[in-house]
């Protein structure tokens, strides 16, 4: 009996070790792809990023269709991310309501507050990313423009490691239909993002070159 129990313990320990090794390998591959895509993005330079941001706004405007009255969550560009200001102007002209995400805590989903054209945004958090004022109306977006570091053709994305959008999309999708659109430069595409069970893919990807819907996932 002791020998059988000992054998079971060894097998369980081996299984756990294999799972840990697989997790570490996957995390390392995600880190490699993130650095690769972010390096390409940084190499674009300010003028190329500005031109690509304008082109991506036109792609997004065409892909979104009729959005009058819908609430669309954008994000404020951080460092050399794609600039969402051209898209914001397009969406306001088409009578969409705009929102921005608010970070409540590291392990919590995002909150969204209405972003009116006249609102002065307030830098917040460790990275001083602009947010609507604290008294702005809390809203639930119909469409989310999702930032990312890298993406693939299946709609899987690599974020920046905190998991905010995975948690948020999982919560929103459990409550009601929402559309999640990845928004980034074409140079951030990679061949394949290693997917984990908690990863929430986007429904569509939009870059300055194209927009494509994700219709089939493994």
């Amino acid at each position: 009996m002791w020998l059988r129990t000992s054998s079971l313990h060894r097998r369980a320990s081996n299984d756990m070790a294999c799972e840990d090794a697989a997790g570490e390998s996957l995390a390392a591959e995600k880190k490699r792809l993130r650095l690769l895509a972010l390096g390409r993005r940084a190499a674009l330079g300010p003028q190329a990023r500005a031109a690509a941001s304008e082109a991506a706004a036109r792609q997004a405007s065409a892909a979104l269709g009729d959005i009058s009255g819908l609430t669309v969550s954008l994000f404020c560009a951080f460092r050399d991310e794609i600039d969402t200001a051209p898209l914001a102007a397009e969406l306001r002209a088409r009578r969409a309501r705009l929102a921005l995400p608010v970070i409540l805590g590291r392990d919590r989903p995002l909150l969204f507050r209405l972003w009116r054209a006249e609102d002065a945004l307030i830098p917040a958090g460790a990275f001083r990313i602009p947010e609507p004022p604290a008294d702005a109306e809390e809203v639930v977006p119909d469409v989310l423009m999702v930032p990312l570091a890298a993406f693939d053709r299946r709609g899987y994305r690599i974020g920046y490691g905190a998991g905010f959008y995975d948690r948020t999309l999982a919560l929103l999708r459990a409550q009601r239909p929402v559309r999640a659109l990845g928004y980034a430069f074409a140079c951030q595409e990679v061949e394949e993002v290693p997917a984990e069970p908690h990863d929430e893919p986007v429904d569509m990807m939009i870059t300055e070159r194209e927009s494509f819907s994700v219709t089939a996932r493994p």
Side-chain angles (χ1 to χ4, degrees):
M1 182 67 178
W2 179 86
L3 290 175
R4 182 178 178 185
T5 303
S6 178
S7 176
L8 289 173
H9 285 168
R10 284 198 300 272
R11 184 180 300 174
S13 297
N14 289 338
D15 289 344
M16 291 178 63
C18 289
E19 289 176 4
D20 290 344
E24 290 175 5
S25 176
L26 192 147
E29 178 62 4
K30 280 191 171 182
K31 181 178 180 180
R32 183 187 73 82
L33 292 172
R34 181 186 293 114
L35 292 174
L36 174 68
L38 292 182
R40 292 174 184 164
R41 190 177 78 182
L44 285 175
Q47 291 186 336
R49 280 197 295 273
S53 296
E54 293 281 355
R58 293 190 291 271
Q59 291 280 359
S61 183
L64 284 168
D66 182 11
I67 53 168
S68 178
L70 296 183
T71 301
V72 182
S73 171
L74 298 181
F75 56 89
C76 287
F78 177 64
R79 293 179 179 166
D80 50 16
E81 275 184 330
I82 190 168
D83 186 4
T84 58
L87 178 56
E90 289 264 0
L91 297 181
R92 289 193 194 282
R94 296 174 58 193
R95 299 184 179 180
R97 299 202 320 160
L98 301 188
L100 288 174
V102 175
I103 296 174
L104 298 176
R106 183 168 179 82
D107 296 319
R108 298 177 63 184
L110 297 166
L111 174 75
F112 297 90
R113 291 197 177 113
L114 194 66
W115 174 28
R116 299 176 303 174
E118 63 270 23
D119 286 340
L121 298 180
I122 302 168
F127 298 106
R128 311 304 291 164
I129 298 174
E131 297 176 354
D135 60 353
E137 179 185 352
E138 295 182 15
V139 295
V140 178
D142 302 293
V143 180
L144 292 88
M145 307 303 294
V146 181
L148 54 89
F151 68 93
D152 68 15
R153 289 269 151 178
R154 301 172 302 157
Y156 285 100
R157 55 182 283 280
I158 298 175
Y160 300 104
F164 288 118
Y165 275 91
D166 288 323
R167 285 191 296 275
T168 302
L169 287 174
L171 176 64
L172 292 177
R173 284 168 167 166
Q175 296 173 343
R176 53 177 288 200
V178 295
R179 294 173 67 192
L181 285 66
Y183 197 57
F185 296 119
C187 66
Q188 294 171 247
E189 181 178 351
V190 297
E191 183 174 351
E192 183 175 331
V193 169
E196 298 179 85
H198 67 267
D199 288 337
E200 291 284 334
V202 295
D203 304 300
M204 176 180 283
M205 268 304 310
I206 298 175
T207 73
E208 74 276 18
R209 295 179 186 170
E210 62 178 336
S211 62
F212 61 89
S213 295
V214 179
T215 56
R217 300 179 185 128

